[in-house]
């Protein structure tokens, strides 16, 4: 194991390079097509949820059972990741691979550009189908362009910046923790009869881990786009959104792009009237690429800032 002084200095020197390599690896290869670790994790989560036949009961007990189930699933992987990330032999590989598995930068571009490609070929049905892979809405009622822009902005935080933030804080272990929590929220955090109580802990844990990253993501979008409008939309519109973290991200992103998002959407056969976010301009096809640019350029800025901060830490540690 590293000594205490090594632990302070080594990440300051190596971690920016690890982050850059992991992001480059993701953008070169994308997510693994086969044997993705999260697929196996999701399988375990499904199996564990099925062991709880009383999940629909409304009681504090179900919330407690959901919390225990969450800890049982996550803790073994986090403990193993921490051990691997702090061994001299496995330090670089473990941290790099964990961040690579945690981010979805390339896949976000692939999914969004599949919608753009379909629309460029005047295939509305294919565009709706492609957009439905990004959002949990009924494909027949999807408006592909706004749905895709919304998904890019929201998943920019959930699939990219959140993982980077926790990597900067706690290395590969932090990135893994964030991605597992995000996966658990996606699987157990829905407010359906089955998961309303059982999935409470998963949803709240994801909210807690996302609180700071979401606001840094919103700030990133604002700085890279129409800053004044983004900040104004963030302040006035974010509180109207159901999610405490998606609200700042999507309102700031909509303002940064100067487009109108939100409004009516159909989920599982039911229409929901969501608050309107952003400006009065309906998004057009090119706004999908503009939204991707916010995420992509934001990643470059975050990596640069992380490198500067860690070099400063290294200088102070050597002083």
């Amino acid at each position: 194991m590293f000594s205490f002084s090594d632990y302070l200095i080594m990440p300051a020197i190596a971690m920016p390079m690890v982050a850059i390599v992991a992001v480059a690896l993701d953008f070169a290869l994308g997510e693994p097509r086969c044997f993705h670790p999260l697929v196996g994790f999701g399988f375990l989560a499904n199996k564990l949820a099925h062991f709880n036949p009383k999940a629909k009961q409304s009681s504090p007990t179900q919330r407690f059972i959901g919390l225990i189930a969450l800890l049982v699933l996550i803790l073994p992987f986090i403990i193993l990741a921490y051990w691997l990330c702090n061994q001299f032999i496995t330090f670089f590989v473990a941290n790099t691979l964990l961040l690579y598995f945690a981010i979805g930068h390339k896949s976000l571009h692939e999914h969004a550009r599949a919608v753009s490609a379909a629309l460029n070929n005047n295939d509305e049905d294919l565009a709706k189908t492609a957009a439905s892979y990004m959002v949990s809405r009924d494909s027949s009622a999807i408006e592909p362009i706004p749905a895709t822009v919304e998904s890019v902005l929201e998943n920019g935080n959930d699939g990219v910046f959140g993982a980077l933030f926790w990597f900067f804080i706690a290395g590969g272990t932090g990135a893994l923790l964030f991605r597992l929590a995000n996966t658990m929220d996606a699987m157990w955090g829905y407010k359906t009869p089955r998961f309303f109580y059982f999935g409470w802990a998963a949803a709240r844990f994801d909210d807690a881990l996302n609180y700071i990253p979401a606001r840094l993501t919103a700030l990133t979008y604002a700085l890279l786009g129409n800053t004044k409008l983004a900040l104004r939309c963030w302040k006035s519109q974010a509180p109207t959104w159901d999610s405490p973290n998606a609200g700042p991200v999507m309102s700031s992103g909509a303002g940064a792009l100067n487009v109108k998002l939100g409004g009516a959407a159909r989920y599982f056969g039911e229409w929901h009237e969501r608050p309107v976010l952003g400006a009065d301009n309906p998004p057009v096809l090119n706004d999908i690429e503009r939204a991707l640019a916010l995420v992509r350029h934001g990643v470059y800025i975050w990596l640069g800032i992380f490198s500067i901060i860690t070099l400063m830490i290294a200088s102070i540690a050597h002083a």
Side-chain angles (χ1 to χ4, degrees):
M1 296 287 289
F2 297 142
S3 68
F4 182 72
S5 60
D6 288 336
Y7 187 76
L8 288 176
I9 297 173
M10 185 69 174
I13 299 172
M15 293 306 265
M17 181 173 64
V18 170
I20 291 170
V21 170
V23 171
L25 195 62
D26 170 74
F27 221 79
L29 303 178
E31 291 187 335
R33 304 298 180 185
C34 301
F35 306 112
H36 196 298
L38 287 177
V39 175
F41 180 78
F43 175 80
L44 291 176
N46 272 327
K47 288 294 185 182
L48 189 57
H50 285 308
F51 278 116
N52 183 30
K54 297 182 180 180
K56 295 182 181 180
Q57 293 184 356
S58 64
S59 70
T61 302
Q62 278 303 310
R63 291 188 174 184
F64 179 73
I65 291 173
L67 173 61
I68 296 301
L70 180 70
L71 294 175
V72 167
L73 269 175
I74 288 181
L75 277 179
F77 295 102
I78 296 305
I79 292 171
L80 177 60
Y82 179 81
W83 185 80
L84 290 172
C85 288
N86 287 278
Q87 301 299 311
F88 180 79
I89 296 177
T90 55
F91 171 83
F92 187 86
V93 172
N95 280 286
T96 301
L97 289 180
L98 286 172
L99 180 57
Y100 163 62
F101 287 132
I103 59 175
H105 195 201
K106 176 68 174 291
S107 66
L108 184 63
H109 282 70
E110 291 175 337
H111 284 297
R113 285 173 175 167
V115 178
S116 296
L119 291 173
N120 279 324
N121 290 326
N122 298 312
D123 194 333
E124 185 80 9
D125 290 337
L126 181 59
K128 289 183 176 183
T129 300
S132 72
Y133 296 146
M134 303 183 71
V135 295
S136 55
R137 303 182 203 170
D138 298 344
S139 60
S140 61
I142 284 180
E143 294 184 51
I145 293 174
T148 303
V149 173
E150 288 178 14
S151 182
V152 168
L153 294 174
E154 185 172 8
N155 284 299
N157 176 66
D158 293 345
V160 182
F161 293 115
L164 285 175
F165 173 83
W166 283 106
F167 178 83
F168 297 163
I169 297 298
T173 308
L176 178 65
L177 177 64
F178 177 82
R179 188 61 189 268
L180 293 185
N182 191 252
T183 302
M184 294 306 302
D185 179 49
M187 297 184 69
W188 291 359
Y190 285 107
K191 293 182 178 180
T192 60
R194 175 169 179 76
F195 291 111
F196 191 88
Y197 298 96
F198 180 74
W200 175 85
R204 297 291 77 78
F205 187 52
D206 182 67
D207 284 344
L209 290 181
N210 248 317
Y211 187 86
I212 296 176
R215 282 143 186 84
L216 291 177
T217 300
L219 181 60
T220 301
Y221 291 162
L223 294 176
L224 289 171
N226 187 326
T227 304
K228 288 183 64 176
L229 181 58
L231 294 176
R232 187 164 68 246
C233 291
W234 180 357
K235 181 179 179 180
S236 62
Q237 297 170 351
T240 68
W241 205 253
D242 285 343
S243 169
N245 295 323
V249 169
M250 293 176 63
S251 59
S252 177
L257 296 172
N258 194 17
V259 298
K260 177 182 178 181
L261 300 176
R266 195 172 76 187
Y267 299 87
F268 308 110
E270 295 184 6
W271 283 97
H272 296 263
E273 190 61 43
R274 306 169 304 159
V276 172
L277 303 176
D280 294 327
N281 306 312
V284 296
L285 181 58
N286 186 54
D287 289 322
I288 294 176
E289 196 59 42
R290 292 177 63 220
L292 287 171
L294 286 182
V295 176
R296 189 168 58 252
H297 297 160
V299 168
Y300 302 152
I301 291 173
W302 279 43
L303 290 174
I305 292 175
F306 179 50
S307 298
I308 292 171
I309 291 174
T310 49
L311 286 175
M312 291 174 60
I313 293 174
S315 298
I316 292 172
H318 280 290

